[in-house]
Amino acid sequence: MLSISEPFAQDDEDIQVMKAGAMLRKVKSRSWKKQRHFRLQDDGQTIWYKSRWAGTGHSTFSVGDIEAVREGHQSEVLQSIAEEFPADLCFTLVFRGRRGNLDLVAESASDAQAWIRGIRKLVQNTESMDAKERLDQWIWDWFQKADKNKDGRMNFKEVRSLLKMMNVDMNEEYALRLFTRADKSESGCLEIEEFVQFYKMLTQREDVWNVFQNYSRDGQMLTLAELEEFLRQEQQKGEESQDHAHELIVRFEPSETAKKQGAMSIDGFQIYLVSSEGDIFDPQRLELHQDMSQPLSHYFICSSHNTYLMEDQLRGQSSQEAYIRALKRGCRCVEVDCWDGPNGEPVVYHGHTFTSKILFRDVITTLGEYAFKVSEFPVVLSLENHCSVEQQRVMAQLMDTILGDTLLRAPLNGLVPQVLPSPLDLKGKILLKAKKIGGLEESDTLNDEVTDEVTDEVSDEDEPKSPSAETLSKSKLSRELSDLVVYCKSVHFYGFEYSCQHSKCYEMSSFSESKARKLAKEKGMEFVQHNSRHLSRVYPSGMRTDSSNYNPQELWNVGCQMVALNVQTAGLEMDLNDGLFHQNGCCGYVLKPDFMRNDSSFDPERPEEREGYKPLRLSIQVISGQQLPKLNQKEGSIVDPLVRVEIYGVSKDQAKQETSYIHNNGFNPLWNETLNFIIHVPELALVRFVVEDYDKASRNDFVGQFTVPFTCIQPGYRHIHLLSKDGTALPLSSLFVNIKISELTTETE
C-alpha cells in the first residue's frame, strides 16, 4: 500500500528557523535592496515571501526549483554591495533553467547560515528521493493545497476544487463515489491516509494494467518467466532477458512476498515502467560511453554564441552568470567579444549596442572556476577581438595568470600535428580560438617582439575567393595573444578546394548561418569531407537582435562541429541541442557517425547513395499522458492535450504527425493512436515529442516536450518524462508510449 509521511526533517533546527521565518533583504542592484519576510511553508517544499506593506500579495517558489546555494559575494549584484554588507550575511539562490538568481542579505550571520544549511538539506533531500518518495511528497503537496481550512482533513467541496487544480474534469457523481469509498471512517472528510486511497483509485493506470494482463496468466503476478517473455517480446532485451528480469524484481518490487517468489506485482511493474529503466532514453547512452580518442574534428561540440548575454543583443544584460549557465549546460565552446575598456582593462559586451559591459578579467576568472565542473573535456574560448594591441597584451596576461596550467600554450609534445588531437588528449585544457600570426611550424622562428598584421572578418557577400584576391583592411595583432592560439587558428574560408590543398588541420573557419546553409544545400558532400578534417563554427545572423536561434540540425547534417546557439533563448532549437548533447555523459562532445568521420561520399541530400544505407521504420503508439501541467490557473480551466511527434534529420527525414486532442483531461488522457515514420539516416535523427493544449480559435499553447536522439531510443513500452519550455523537469508529467523499430528494405519503402 502507498503510504505517506510528513515532509523531511521536521525537527531539524535549521528547518525550524526557516519555518519560523526571517526578514531578508532581496537585492536586485546597488540601488534596489528591499526587505521581505521569507518563510518555509508547512509542506517543507515551498518558500513563501512578501513585503510587510504588500497586503495580501505574496510570492512563492519551490525548493525543487533551486539548483544550488552560493555563500558570500558570489554574484555580480552582491559583489557590487560588498562594502555595505559583509560576505557572512550574503547568499545567492541559483534556480534551474533560465530563471534569474535570487540574491539575499540576512540580518545576522547565524540567520544566513541557518537558511544556507537548511536550503541545502532540502535540495539534497529532494534530489535523493526515489520515485516512490517523490510521489509521496507530491501527494502531500496536493493535500496541503486542497486543505483550505488547514484542519488536516478534506471535505468533498475541497476535493472537487483539488480535481480542478489537478487538471481533471471528472463527473461529480463518479468523484463522490470515489470519495465515499475512500472515506472509511464515514466522517464526510478524508484524512491523509484516506486521501492516499482516494488518490490510488483516481490514478489507477488502466493502460499499464492492460499490458500487465497480456503477460500475467493469473492476472495477479508476473512470474519470472512471464516477465522474461515481456522483456524479450516487447522491450527487445533478447538474450539478457533472464538476468534482467531478476534484477528488475529485486530493484522495483515493493512486496517482499512477491520478491521471495521471484515475481512482480502490478505495483512493481508500474514502478519499473516509470523508472529510468523504463524511460525512452536508454540509460546506458546517458553514461560517457563513446570513444573520446579521435580527432576533435570528429565530434559535435556543444557551443554557445554571445555567451556573455542573458537576454537580447540590443539592450540585454551582459553577465558572468551567463557563462556559468552555459558551462553548466555542457557548453564546450563559449564566445567572448572584447573591446577596449577604461583604465587599460578590456571589457566584454555586444559592440555598438546598449548591452551592459563586464570586465574581461571577470569573464576569465569565471571560466577558470566553472570550465570543468560539468565536463572534463576541453573548452574552446572563441575570441572576437576588437581591442588595441595594448589591451590585447593585457588580455594575454590575464589569461596566462588566471587560467594557469589549464590554458593550452603549445602543441602537445611540442609536435606540429597532421591531425587534431582528441578530447581525451586535451582533458582539462582551455583552447583559445582566435587569429594567429603565421602557423605552428613558424612559431619558433618569428621575432617575439613583432606585431604583425592580420585580416579582419569579412561578410559572406564580399568574401574573397583566394588569399591573392584580398582587398581587406588590416588590423594589428599582438604577438603575446597570437602565441596563445594553438589548435584553433581562425582563418578565412576560400572554398573547399583551396582548403583541401592548403589548409592546416589546426586552421578553422567561422560561417554565418546563411553562408553555412547555402554551402550545406549546394555542396553538402564537400562540406562533410571538409568537416572530417577541420573544425567549423557556425553563428546566428546579426539580424537576430532578439537572440533567437536557427535550426542547428541542417548544419549537423554536414558535420559542422561548433553550431553556436544563443543558449539563453528557450525554444525548439535549444530543445534539439539539449537532446543531442544529453547523451554521452552530457560531456559536451558527441562522436559523429563513422560515415562523417572519414573521407566518405556521404551527401545528406542523397542518403540512399551511401554505402551501408539501411532505412528504418519507426512506429510510435501514443498510449496515454500522466499529470500534465495546468497552463491557465483560472477556475475550471483544463487542458485539451494533443501529442505531436517531430523528426529532425536529413531533408528526407523531416516529418511531423500528431494525435487528436482529448477534451478537458490533462490528468490521465488516453489516445491509443499510432504514428509511423521512415528514417533514412537514423544516426543523425532526433525525435521530439511535444504536448500542446489544443485551441480551435488561436495557436495551441505549449505544455511540455522531450527530445531524444534516435540512436538512444529504447524500444518497447516506455515513459517520456516531459520538460518545460525552459528545459527543466515537470515532476510526474509524462507520456506512455509503445515504440517499435524495424528494418525497411528499399523495395518496400
Side-chain angles (χ1 to χ4, degrees):
M1 168 182 161
L2 182 64
S3 63
I4 197 82
S5 57
E6 292 246 334
F8 160 76
Q10 294 297 302
D11 56 352
D12 182 274
E13 192 175 324
D14 295 324
I15 304 301
Q16 290 303 321
V17 169
M18 292 176 67
K19 284 194 165 188
M23 294 304 295
L24 303 173
R25 276 187 180 84
K26 182 180 175 183
V27 186
K28 288 186 177 179
S29 67
R30 292 184 70 168
S31 58
W32 200 103
K33 304 181 287 285
K34 298 188 179 179
Q35 286 204 319
R36 297 285 184 264
H37 186 248
F38 282 76
R39 190 175 73 234
L40 177 67
Q41 301 283 69
D42 289 339
D43 64 4
Q45 284 291 300
T46 307
I47 295 175
W48 171 102
Y49 67 96
K50 65 173 285 189
S51 161
R52 64 178 70 171
W53 302 285
T56 57
H58 67 274
S59 300
T60 62
F61 57 88
S62 170
V63 170
D65 295 336
I66 301 172
E67 186 175 280
V69 186
R70 296 186 198 144
E71 290 187 59
H73 302 139
Q74 287 202 58
S75 75
E76 289 156 278
V77 170
L78 292 178
Q79 285 166 9
S80 72
I81 59 165
E83 292 181 7
E84 188 177 355
F85 297 104
D88 61 0
L89 301 183
C90 301
F91 60 99
T92 301
L93 302 186
V94 181
F95 292 96
R96 300 180 191 281
R98 294 173 175 82
R99 181 174 174 175
N101 295 346
L102 182 57
D103 291 304
L104 299 169
V105 180
E107 293 188 328
S108 69
S110 60
D111 272 0
Q113 278 302 310
W115 278 79
I116 289 166
R117 288 192 304 262
I119 292 173
R120 282 177 174 165
K121 289 172 192 171
L122 290 170
V123 170
Q124 183 179 9
N125 178 68
T126 301
E127 290 176 346
S128 63
M129 283 181 181
D130 61 24
K132 180 183 178 302
E133 289 167 333
R134 278 196 295 273
L135 182 60
D136 283 1
Q137 182 67 58
W138 191 81
I139 295 174
W140 176 275
D141 291 348
W142 278 116
F143 187 84
Q144 293 288 324
K145 288 174 187 172
D147 183 17
K148 298 293 186 188
N149 58 10
K150 302 302 176 190
D151 64 352
R153 308 165 74 204
M154 201 162 26
N155 60 35
F156 184 63
K157 184 179 178 183
E158 289 174 319
V159 166
R160 278 190 307 171
S161 172
L162 168 66
L163 294 178
K164 294 284 186 187
M165 290 163 65
M166 294 171 86
N167 237 341
V168 185
D169 185 20
M170 186 176 284
N171 176 281
E172 189 165 325
E173 186 181 331
Y174 179 64
L176 181 59
R177 195 156 66 244
L178 291 186
F179 181 91
T180 305
R181 282 169 57 191
D183 182 16
K184 301 293 185 189
S185 60
E186 299 183 356
S187 64
C189 291
L190 300 184
E191 296 184 4
I192 184 63
E193 286 296 338
E194 292 172 327
F195 177 65
V196 170
Q197 289 306 310
F198 173 77
Y199 174 83
K200 280 202 73 172
M201 289 186 282
L202 189 68
T203 56
Q204 280 181 341
R205 293 280 303 273
E206 193 173 328
D207 50 354
V208 173
W209 178 251
N210 289 337
V211 177
F212 183 84
Q213 292 287 80
N214 286 341
Y215 285 87
S216 171
R217 288 176 180 81
D218 66 1
Q220 301 299 313
M221 290 282 178
L222 284 174
T223 65
L224 186 63
E226 289 166 348
L227 183 55
E228 282 175 40
E229 186 184 1
F230 168 77
L231 293 174
R232 191 166 51 252
Q233 294 290 333
E234 303 291 352
Q235 311 297 74
Q236 304 290 300
K237 286 298 176 185
E239 295 300 316
E240 58 184 299
S241 297
Q242 185 170 0
D243 291 341
H244 194 54
H246 183 262
E247 180 195 339
L248 294 181
I249 291 170
V250 170
R251 284 177 60 190
F252 299 115
E253 177 52 51
S255 164
E256 289 300 323
T257 305
K259 270 187 190 176
K260 286 176 184 174
Q261 295 172 353
M264 182 175 271
S265 66
I266 180 64
D267 286 343
F269 189 63
Q270 187 162 320
I271 292 169
Y272 150 62
L273 285 176
V274 298
S275 75
S276 60
E277 284 288 334
D279 197 276
I280 188 171
F281 208 118
D282 185 344
Q284 293 182 344
R285 299 279 184 153
L286 288 173
E287 305 298 322
L288 183 66
H289 67 280
Q290 294 182 341
D291 177 6
M292 303 304 290
S293 64
Q294 301 206 25
L296 281 178
S297 56
H298 288 185
Y299 298 84
F300 296 121
I301 302 171
C302 189
S303 302
S304 167
H305 174 63
N306 287 350
T307 312
Y308 46 88
L309 288 177
M310 299 285 283
E311 302 155 41
D312 67 82
Q313 296 176 188
L314 286 182
R315 298 177 181 274
Q317 178 193 1
S318 302
S319 171
Q320 296 155 246
E321 192 64 41
Y323 285 93
I324 296 173
R325 291 186 179 189
L327 291 165
K328 282 165 74 173
R329 289 184 84 96
C331 282
R332 297 288 87 191
C333 177
V334 296
E335 186 180 25
V336 185
D337 289 10
C338 298
W339 300 79
D340 281 354
N343 308 316
E345 282 246 23
V347 293
V348 175
Y349 79 112
H350 202 250
H352 311 301
T353 67
F354 297 103
T355 59
S356 61
K357 299 173 183 176
I358 52 178
L359 291 175
F360 178 77
R361 173 195 301 272
D362 290 340
V363 170
I364 299 305
T365 300
T366 301
L367 182 62
E369 185 175 350
Y370 287 91
F372 304 108
K373 283 191 181 295
V374 168
S375 170
E376 59 189 350
F377 294 109
V379 172
V380 176
L381 179 58
S382 181
L383 188 66
E384 191 170 307
N385 176 15
H386 304 276
C387 290
S388 62
V389 171
E390 291 73 26
Q391 293 209 12
Q392 288 178 41
R393 291 193 180 112
V394 175
M395 288 162 57
Q397 183 183 7
L398 287 170
M399 284 190 282
D400 186 72
T401 305
I402 295 169
L403 299 179
D405 290 342
T406 62
L407 181 64
L408 188 75
R409 296 174 174 80
L412 299 179
N413 303 318
L415 302 173
V416 177
Q418 297 305 307
V419 295
L420 286 166
S422 70
L424 197 61
D425 295 329
L426 295 166
K427 268 182 15 179
K429 291 297 183 184
I430 295 171
L431 282 60
L432 183 63
K433 172 196 168 290
K435 296 166 188 170
K436 182 176 180 66
I437 302 165
L440 294 180
E441 298 84 354
E442 305 155 11
S443 294
D444 296 332
T445 61
L446 289 175
N447 184 333
D448 284 350
E449 301 302 318
V450 169
T451 297
D452 208 348
E453 294 183 337
V454 294
T455 55
D456 286 331
E457 295 286 345
V458 293
S459 69
D460 294 338
E461 288 71 26
D462 56 15
E463 183 177 289
K465 302 303 178 192
S466 69
S468 60
E470 288 181 11
T471 56
L472 307 169
S473 64
K474 304 288 184 177
S475 65
K476 301 286 187 180
L477 176 63
S478 85
R479 179 57 197 259
E480 292 88 344
L481 192 60
S482 168
D483 280 352
L484 297 180
V485 179
V486 183
Y487 295 123
C488 298
K489 176 186 176 180
S490 294
V491 298
H492 292 311
F493 177 72
Y494 298 114
F496 294 123
E497 187 178 348
Y498 178 87
S499 169
C500 185
Q501 292 177 6
H502 302 288
S503 295
K504 310 293 186 185
C505 69
Y506 56 81
E507 295 178 331
M508 63 174 292
S509 301
S510 290
F511 303 87
S512 71
E513 61 174 284
S514 57
K515 177 70 172 179
R517 291 176 69 184
K518 187 170 185 289
L519 288 170
K521 193 171 178 92
E522 296 176 358
K523 299 184 177 182
M525 188 190 302
E526 290 172 82
F527 214 165
V528 171
Q529 291 171 353
H530 171 84
N531 286 326
S532 69
R533 301 182 298 269
H534 301 279
L535 292 172
S536 293
R537 181 177 180 271
V538 183
Y539 57 90
S541 162
M543 301 301 289
R544 295 183 180 273
T545 53
D546 59 351
S547 290
S548 61
N549 283 309
Y550 55 94
N551 188 327
Q553 184 68 53
E554 54 190 311
L555 288 319
W556 291 329
N557 289 344
V558 289
C560 293
Q561 299 86 359
M562 301 177 188
V563 181
L565 299 177
N566 292 299
V567 299
Q568 74 272 29
T569 306
L572 160 68
E573 298 82 11
M574 276 307 299
D575 292 344
L576 297 178
N577 195 77
D578 290 347
L580 176 67
F581 290 104
H582 191 48
Q583 62 185 308
N584 204 33
C586 296
C587 75
Y589 286 82
V590 170
L591 189 63
K592 294 196 281 190
D594 58 359
F595 55 81
M596 301 183 88
R597 304 197 299 264
N598 306 308
D599 202 10
S600 71
S601 56
F602 173 67
D603 185 342
E605 292 301 312
R606 289 182 285 279
E608 67 281 358
E609 294 179 5
R610 100 173 146 91
E611 189 179 345
Y613 167 66
K614 277 188 182 176
L616 296 175
R617 184 184 298 280
L618 171 65
S619 176
I620 301 172
Q621 181 191 11
V622 181
I623 301 171
S624 63
Q626 293 75 45
Q627 288 132 301
L628 304 176
K630 185 172 178 177
L631 302 175
N632 190 332
Q633 295 306 314
K634 288 181 183 175
E635 185 76 28
S637 173
I638 293 171
V639 300
D640 302 326
L642 63 83
V643 178
R644 186 170 60 255
V645 177
E646 304 170 347
I647 310 294
Y648 294 88
V650 298
S651 303
K652 270 197 164 185
D653 287 340
Q654 300 286 121
K656 296 180 184 180
Q657 291 183 45
E658 64 185 37
T659 66
S660 54
Y661 71 91
I662 304 295
H663 182 64
N664 266 12
N665 187 354
F667 188 72
N668 56 0
L670 200 64
W671 288 280
N672 276 322
E673 295 181 34
T674 301
L675 311 176
N676 289 299
F677 302 91
I678 293 170
I679 312 293
H680 297 272
V681 187
E683 297 90 343
L684 288 173
L686 292 168
V687 183
R688 183 173 184 252
F689 296 83
V690 190
V691 181
E692 290 183 345
D693 180 12
Y694 173 77
D695 192 325
K696 64 181 176 184
S698 61
R699 188 175 179 179
N700 294 349
D701 289 322
F702 175 91
V703 174
Q705 71 84 32
F706 190 79
T707 304
V708 55
F710 182 89
T711 54
C712 296
I713 289 176
Q714 291 200 101
Y717 286 97
R718 303 293 172 187
H719 278 89
I720 299 165
H721 298 277
L722 296 172
L723 303 175
S724 70
K725 195 167 192 174
D726 208 26
T728 56
L730 293 170
L732 301 181
S733 293
S734 62
L735 297 175
F736 186 44
V737 298
N738 185 14
I739 293 176
K740 289 184 167 58
I741 298 171
S742 56
E743 287 192 8
L744 180 78
T745 61
T746 51
E747 290 77 22
T748 60
E749 185 181 336

